[in-house]
Amino acid sequence: MNLARAIHFDESDLRVFHSPARTGEWCVPGGFEFSNWSEADLEGKARQAFANGWLGLETFGRVTFVAVTRIEEGEVAALAENLARHFVSHYGAPSVEAALEVARGEIAQMADLCDGHDPNTLLTVARELTEAGVREAYRTIQPQEAELDLLAVHATPDE
């Protein structure tokens, strides 16, 4: 099964999100955070998190890019448990047990987004508020193959 991890190419996420996700942590779209938002909520760093932030499942911070990678089944169960605890502590779910199925659904949605993509494929999310609620769109960026001559230094022992 594939899921996606937070990846940073520079330090911009440290400046644009209130709480940036840690490099390498597993992520989900996390659009549930914005389900009751209105235009009035979309200011500053909150707007950036809404517009294109993935949700890290350890820090619950946001990140702009995630990279597809393989995950072990045992890790999935631990992530679901952690997300369910987050639903209880931050969103008022009545219990971890009650929130667990929703947490599993969030992780399954992310697995579906990652399904069929090569390792290291980058994913981005873009959100907008509509009359019907939050609309999410996803984009993939395929990993680039580098030519060997771009990486290798060609020399002879005499040079």
Side-chain angles (χ1 to χ4, degrees), residues 10-87:
D10 58 29
E11 295 185 6
S12 60
D13 283 352
L14 298 175
R15 292 186 295 277
V16 299
F17 296 122
H18 284 296
S19 175
R22 183 184 55 77
T23 300
E25 73 179 285
W26 298 107
C27 295
V28 296
F32 54 81
E33 179 179 352
F34 312 111
S35 63
N36 294 323
W37 283 35
S38 69
E39 283 292 331
D41 297 304
L42 299 178
E43 293 184 7
K45 292 182 178 188
R47 176 180 284 282
Q48 187 68 26
F50 170 81
N52 63 13
W54 298 94
L55 181 70
L57 293 176
E58 295 170 34
T59 63
F60 297 100
R62 294 282 172 171
V63 64
T64 303
F65 293 98
V66 294
V68 174
T69 190
R70 184 125 184 92
I71 187 169
E72 299 300 321
E73 285 298 322
E75 290 178 281
V76 173
L79 291 176
E81 178 87 16
N82 198 40
L83 183 54
R85 284 193 301 273
H86 183 72
F87 288 155

